[in-house]
Amino acid sequence: MRVLIAAAGSRGDVAPFAGLGVALRGAGHEVVLATTEAFAPLVREAGLEFRPLPAHSRERGGDGGVEGRRELMRTAAAFVTELGRGFAEAVDGGTELLLLSATTAPLGWHLAEARGIPSLGLYLQPTAPTGDFPPVVTGSRSLGRTGNRLAGCFALRMADRVYTRAVGDLRRRLELPPLAPSAMRRRRERERWPVLHGFSPALVPRPSDWRPGLEVVGTWWPPLRAAERLPAEVEDFLGAGPRPVLLGFGSMAAGEGERLSGIAVRALRRAGLRGILQSGSAGLAADGGADVLTVGDLPHAPLFPRLAAVVHHAGAGTSAAALRAGVPAVTVPVTADQPFWAGRLAALGAATAPIPFRALTAEGLASALAEVVGRESYGRAAAGVARHMAQEDGAARVLEAVRRIAGG
């Protein structure tokens, strides 16, 4: 089949789909990955056809309060409206199957209707309401089974509001009759539209109250590079002493590099640990010294198993990569679904209690680092999940679903 995968957001929202695209291509399918221009090199390096979606990566901000959530909603609505304006061009007449992320699905449903082609959901977060846990966008505090489900339904209604303008514009462009995002969502639910969730059931087991068609299949990993090696300076640093701690915030915390760097270096020295600062969007940088190294983007696979711990923002991709490597974590969630994943890691015993981003101090981080490195239970818990994940093949489950749609 000629398959188009549509994904958008940060690197963690896109890279797993590049890995899936490689698996699909290996099974004989023609694969296009439609995403924003920033990830064209990632897509092409994976050997996939790139098609641009005209949107900038979201600036994820907000302090978690009412005004922060409102600003996040406004930013998200502007993002998906821009995304929708170019989505129709990305899906050409040769497309035979749409694979849609949680961000692109509320737009892709309308394209699938207009073009008469099948679609399948590939989600990196559990968005369907459940009594087992609260919505991923509200954090990790349970409201009880009834409260969790009600909150989950409310979160979907808020998501539909975000897509209202984008869907209206898209349906007019496709010459389809008006249909509200909530009505299309209900239609897909009645049809039991299939959604495969790309995270480990060891991290989030499939809720027992989910409808048929919603499955948790295991993590989808970014594509392996041909020669995934660490730079010589990193190898030298790793070999020069005890296992270090990696500290990074990925695409979060832009503009806060000076504050975060100071906190990180002071915390490492207070805890008596060596560290690697990953610059990321925040621009982390050490102030010199043999015990701290500053690096840019590095592959997780060869680095994480050689670390004592990882300090990260609890994005879905980094959380999974740390677990896969069997390395414990200190999480500092910033926004969106990060508090949810941070809570899951802590519940597994593979991470300390989350430190909210705005509450991060050198003293608090040093204490958490001393705990996660000093107590063997964290490493044992992470290693146990790693063994479970090693038995999973999330990409193979997607290939099976595509084969069923293709009638093979």
Side-chain angles (χ1 to χ4, degrees), residues 184-193 211:
M184 176 58 91
R185 185 183 298 279
R186 288 192 296 271
R187 180 189 294 178
R188 287 291 178 255
E189 287 299 302
R190 288 194 301 270
E191 295 168 349
R192 294 186 173 180
W193 187 65
R211 64 163 174 82

Side-chain angles (χ1 to χ4, degrees), residues 15-92:
F17 296 107
L20 269 181
V22 171
L24 286 162
R25 189 190 61 199
H29 301 285
E30 296 180 51
V31 183
V32 175
L33 179 48
T35 186
T36 48
E37 192 70 43
F39 304 109
L42 169 71
V43 175
R44 291 179 176 134
E45 185 178 306
L48 307 176
E49 181 183 339
F50 169 76
R51 201 161 292 170
L53 294 181
H56 301 293
S57 294
R58 285 173 290 181
E59 290 293 331
R60 289 180 172 176
D63 58 6
V66 173
E67 284 305 315
R69 288 194 294 271
R70 285 175 179 164
E71 179 59 30
L72 193 62
M73 291 275 285
R74 286 192 291 268
T75 302
F79 172 80
V80 298
T81 298
E82 188 178 357
L83 187 69
R85 286 172 181 159
F87 205 165
E89 283 79 5
V91 184
D92 62 18

